[in-house]
Amino acid sequence: MKNRKEILGLKFRPQNFSRKGVGTAVGTILIIAIFTAFFAVYLYMANNNIESRTKLNFESLSLMKLKSTFLLFNQSLGTTWLISTVQAVFITGDESVGCGKDDSRLSEGYWYQRRPDAARDGQTDSRGNPRIPAADKYNIPGFNPQICYPRDQHVKEYILKILDERDFLRLRQLRPEEAGGITIIIQRDVNDNEKVGATINMNLKDDRIESTFSQKITASYGNGVGVIDRQTANDNTIFTSLKQMAAAGRSVVESLSVFGDGRTGGPGPPPDPIGYGVQNQPSNTAYQSVYKDLIESTIRAASSPIPGGNIAIVTTTGLEANTGQTAGVIQLPRSGLVFHFVSMVTYSEPARYYYHNVAENKFEKKPIELTYKVEDYLPALSCVEYQEPAFPSGIALMNWQSPDDMMCCAGFLFSCGSSINSLPSTNQIATGGSMVNSGSGDDQSTCLNTLGGRGVQCTAAGFMIS
Amino acid sequence: MKGMNVSDTFWTLILAVFISVMIILGIFIWLQIHLPFFSTADPVSYSIEFVHVVNKPFMVTEVLAHVRFDDRSVLEQSIETAVTSPENASTTSLPRYLSDYLNAYDLREYQVSIKNGNNALMSFGSTKAKCGDNLDNPEGWCVSRFSFPSGVTSSCGTGRAQINPTQLTCDVTQRCCKEDRTASTGNTIVSCGPSGQGVCSEGERPFYSWAYEKIWGTTWKYTCEENRVDLGNPPECKAANGGNTRACCAPQTAENEVDAGLAVKSVVPLQYKQTTATLEVTAR
């Protein structure tokens, strides 16, 4: 039986080494050495691999951080443009597409405004200029009525103007610590270094506004070791029927301009319902109410179908005697009544977006609205129109506050026991009083002269002609 | 054995060497992983974990950037919050929505903040390991009463105090520990760390560490108690409390984890007019 050393091949003989035993021992040592060398090489390579992977990972960290920060910032910027565009759309609607704001020929917010001191122009003025502008936002200065007629192009231009002029593009350059150590630079506007040099494309559609903001962004880290330099584009869609609202507003302007044409304030029947209305209403209040309904129904009809689903009309009316200031409506002072109305029309749609209320520094959900105003002066009653034979001596009794307390006589307007705005006191006869013929050619004398010696008394029941 | 020839001997040798090498290799790897003089971190697991850790906050932010809560995207709500405030931007429910959303993911920890400079307008994080009575921002961390291989832990550690919340509680094997530098643990509070954010604490070490120190003559690395950020064993802690509080431990906040290189923070700039703020996400 072989001993332990023999089994291992290490046949050790103290006195004499056999050649075979030495060879086996050397072989064994060599094998161990080779295994050890392999193991060392493995460990070395493994460690090297780990080190290089770690180094690669550090590079990856910076690159991933750069890439991710760039993409996330671009997405954040897209959201910035969305919020900004929403605000610009809100402002555009609230500011009536800038009508009267970017030009002083109309008062602010008005799309249709008549000056009462000048004659009304028809479809064209004396120089052939059209009432409804062919392509411009406004009809020519001096046209009466003055009209703002914002087409789609003007709506788009105003939204872009708001974005440009109300600080929406004035985004501050970022400091590296505001981007996790990444340096981000957005290219600036060539004319204004404070603004982002973004190219904005906008498309108005019936139910939405599509916009694309394009800008160059550079992101870098480590003194330009890693750089991303790209032209990015952010597409946004705002669901609003602003385009349809503007179209409805233009339609209202056209309807009201036609509505005011050819009015004389003479007696009815229609097609001059204004004068006819005064004659037949129990009071001036009732007349204004009827007329207000007429105006509003005209606006609603012109707006139909109501864009966005809702329309609110706030109309204020006035009825007063004509003066020199309203000579463009009824030429001869004290000869009639001028009806004046201002309607504020607001189209609105369901609330989808948040409006930045700057005064209160709040974002509040509210509907996108388009608001505009229309104003006109119309002849409600022109006594000059009440002539014989229908009205002998030009006398027509009407109701101001009570039956027969207002009268046209010889082309002039008189009141009995009631006060008509802007009517001189000489034309307002107190209850129990009578007209006096002074022979000086005043309105009372002219009336009495026309009556040929008959008198006019103001009683509790109104004017009585003796 | 009688019939064994030269070839048998050779293969016996091969087997013996192979087994020896395997044993040496196993010991070497074990040493490399566990003993501090080889490496303080496991390079292999570190390498794998690294990409994961770096990517996670950016992935979470990317997901959040595409999510809509109520009627606005998270980025919209974030920008509007940065411009005004959570109340004025009607975004006070955003933390709850986001927490519910992120809790569905298997995130160990996360912290989401909207900051305007150093002013945190909104901040919320994972409540997975948290406890306390403030449900919006629980003040404590759940810490196991038993930890391997150190054995049963007797306290929350220096600079922390045990609390007994009634709202958000830990399970029976854990205690709720709140960072509190005024808490009395018998040790002097010694600040440590690059900006003094840590406290020298007893930390944890395995039961055989004393034998290791005896044999090798070098000190064992103390690690922090559970749910604290380990800032190493700086000199100021080795000298503190007679060498009994060698571990420098900081509260487990996102900032401390980022500072310690344990987590990466994704920072997204938020801009609107002249306002610039950041949406910061830390996730592990």
Side-chain angles (χ1 to χ4, degrees), chain B residues 205 209-220 222 246:
Chain B
R205 57 177 182 165
S209 61
W210 66 270
Y212 168 86
E213 288 179 349
K214 289 277 182 202
I215 294 167
W216 296 98
T218 180
T219 52
W220 186 270
Y222 285 64
R246 297 187 203 176

Side-chain angles (χ1 to χ4, degrees), chain A residues 29-330:
Chain A
I29 290 164
L30 272 175
I31 290 169
I32 292 171
I34 289 166
F35 268 104
T36 309
F38 270 113
F39 182 59
V41 168
Y42 160 75
L43 278 181
Y44 175 76
M45 287 177 66
N47 274 329
N48 249 10
N49 183 37
I50 288 161
E51 269 181 32
S52 61
R53 282 171 65 185
T54 307
K55 281 177 188 167
L56 272 175
N57 283 341
F58 274 115
E59 281 296 309
S60 303
L61 164 66
S62 303
L63 282 173
M64 279 190 293
K65 204 171 170 183
L66 176 68
K67 181 207 73 176
S68 300
T69 305
F70 178 85
L71 293 176
L72 285 168
F73 172 66
N74 186 44
Q75 196 164 351
S76 166
L77 187 62
T79 309
T80 300
W81 295 144
L82 171 68
I83 297 172
S84 299
T85 310
V86 165
Q87 302 312 311
V89 171
F90 270 122
I91 293 170
T92 298
D94 292 345
E95 292 186 357
S96 315
V97 201
C99 287
K101 198 176 179 71
D102 50 14
D103 192 290
S104 60
R105 69 189 83 174
L106 280 92
S107 302
E108 204 171 303
Y110 283 83
W111 283 27
Y112 176 94
Q113 190 171 35
R114 186 201 170 162
R115 291 193 323 279
D117 59 342
R120 183 189 191 89
D121 291 314
Q123 295 289 344
T124 57
D125 66 4
S126 56
R127 290 165 291 171
N129 296 304
R131 180 161 58 194
I132 303 296
D136 292 341
K137 188 172 178 179
Y138 298 93
N139 57 5
I140 64 154
F143 204 103
N144 201 12
Q146 202 76 70
I147 281 174
C148 179
Y149 197 78
R151 298 174 190 273
D152 293 347
Q153 178 66 18
H154 304 123
V155 175
K156 193 172 88 175
E157 284 170 3
Y158 198 73
I159 295 172
L160 295 174
K161 184 180 174 181
I162 297 289
L163 284 169
D164 186 54
E165 294 180 356
R166 307 281 174 95
D167 293 347
F168 290 107
L169 302 179
R170 289 184 185 274
L171 305 183
R172 186 166 61 69
Q173 283 286 26
L174 293 167
R175 295 190 293 268
E177 62 266 27
E178 291 168 334
I182 304 290
T183 303
I184 293 179
I185 297 169
I186 317 177
Q187 195 174 41
R188 315 310 284 183
D189 189 304
V190 287
N191 298 317
D192 188 346
N193 195 42
E194 297 291 310
K195 289 183 193 166
V196 171
T199 306
I200 309 170
N201 286 314
M202 198 167 278
N203 192 7
L204 253 66
K205 298 200 169 176
D206 278 348
D207 60 345
R208 63 192 184 277
I209 296 174
E210 295 171 341
S211 65
T212 302
F213 286 70
S214 178
Q215 62 280 308
K216 188 181 178 188
I217 303 174
T218 305
S220 62
Y221 75 94
N223 294 325
V225 174
V227 178
I228 298 177
D229 191 354
R230 247 183 72 190
Q231 189 78 21
T232 62
N234 308 104
D235 297 325
N236 284 312
T237 301
I238 298 165
F239 293 96
T240 174
S241 51
L242 187 66
K243 177 181 172 165
Q244 294 182 55
M245 293 180 189
R250 293 195 300 270
S251 175
V252 167
V253 166
E254 288 180 36
S255 292
L256 289 179
S257 63
V258 171
F259 182 83
D261 286 344
R263 306 290 173 192
T264 62
D272 199 351
I274 305 171
Y276 185 75
V278 171
Q279 200 177 13
N280 290 279
Q281 292 303 319
S283 68
N284 81 86
T285 309
Y287 170 74
Q288 289 185 61
S289 175
V290 167
Y291 200 72
K292 180 183 164 190
D293 291 344
L294 187 61
I295 296 289
E296 291 187 351
S297 64
T298 303
I299 291 172
R300 281 178 204 281
S303 303
S304 185
I306 306 295
N310 293 305
I311 183 171
I313 306 171
V314 178
T315 303
T316 54
T317 59
L319 194 60
E320 61 181 31
N322 68 314
T323 62
Q325 291 175 332
T326 53
V329 185
I330 299 172

Side-chain angles (χ1 to χ4, degrees), chain A residues 1-2 6-10 20 24 28 31-32 35-36 39 42-43 47 50 53-54 57-58 60-61 64-69 71-73 75-77 79-80 82-84 87 166-174 177-180 184 186 194 352-354 356 358 360-365, chain B residues 1-6 8-10 12-14 16-18 21 24-25 28-29 32 43-44 46-48 50-51 54-55 57-58 61-62 65-66 68 70-73 75-77 79-81 83-85 87-90 264-278 280:
Chain A
M1 183 174 177
K2 291 179 182 176
E6 283 173 338
I7 291 168
L8 290 171
L10 297 167
K20 188 182 174 188
T24 309
T28 307
I31 290 169
I32 292 171
F35 268 104
T36 309
F39 182 59
Y42 160 75
L43 278 181
N47 274 329
I50 288 161
R53 282 171 65 185
T54 307
N57 283 341
F58 274 115
S60 303
L61 164 66
M64 279 190 293
K65 204 171 170 183
L66 176 68
K67 181 207 73 176
S68 300
T69 305
L71 293 176
L72 285 168
F73 172 66
Q75 196 164 351
S76 166
L77 187 62
T79 309
T80 300
L82 171 68
I83 297 172
S84 299
Q87 302 312 311
R166 307 281 174 95
D167 293 347
F168 290 107
L169 302 179
R170 289 184 185 274
L171 305 183
R172 186 166 61 69
Q173 283 286 26
L174 293 167
E177 62 266 27
E178 291 168 334
I184 293 179
I186 317 177
E194 297 291 310
R352 288 193 194 98
Y353 298 101
Y354 284 76
H356 186 202
V358 178
E360 296 179 24
N361 197 27
K362 283 174 89 169
F363 276 93
E364 50 202 18
K365 198 171 190 177
Chain B
M1 292 293 170
K2 193 174 182 179
M4 188 176 264
N5 56 24
V6 175
D8 294 334
T9 308
F10 178 77
T12 308
L13 266 173
I14 295 292
V17 168
F18 179 75
V21 166
I24 291 168
L25 189 63
F28 197 82
I29 290 172
Q32 198 176 17
V44 179
Y46 170 76
S47 177
I48 295 166
F50 192 85
V51 175
V54 170
N55 258 339
F58 290 103
T61 313
E62 181 77 24
H66 286 94
R68 285 178 77 88
D70 285 338
D71 45 13
R72 287 173 288 176
S73 72
L75 279 178
E76 262 182 277
Q77 297 198 37
I79 290 172
E80 291 171 359
T81 302
V83 173
T84 57
S85 67
E87 292 75 25
N88 284 2
S90 308
V264 173
K265 186 161 62 177
S266 153
V267 181
V268 184
L270 306 171
Q271 291 194 287
Y272 176 77
K273 289 187 170 181
Q274 287 293 294
T275 300
T276 300
T278 52
E280 300 182 359

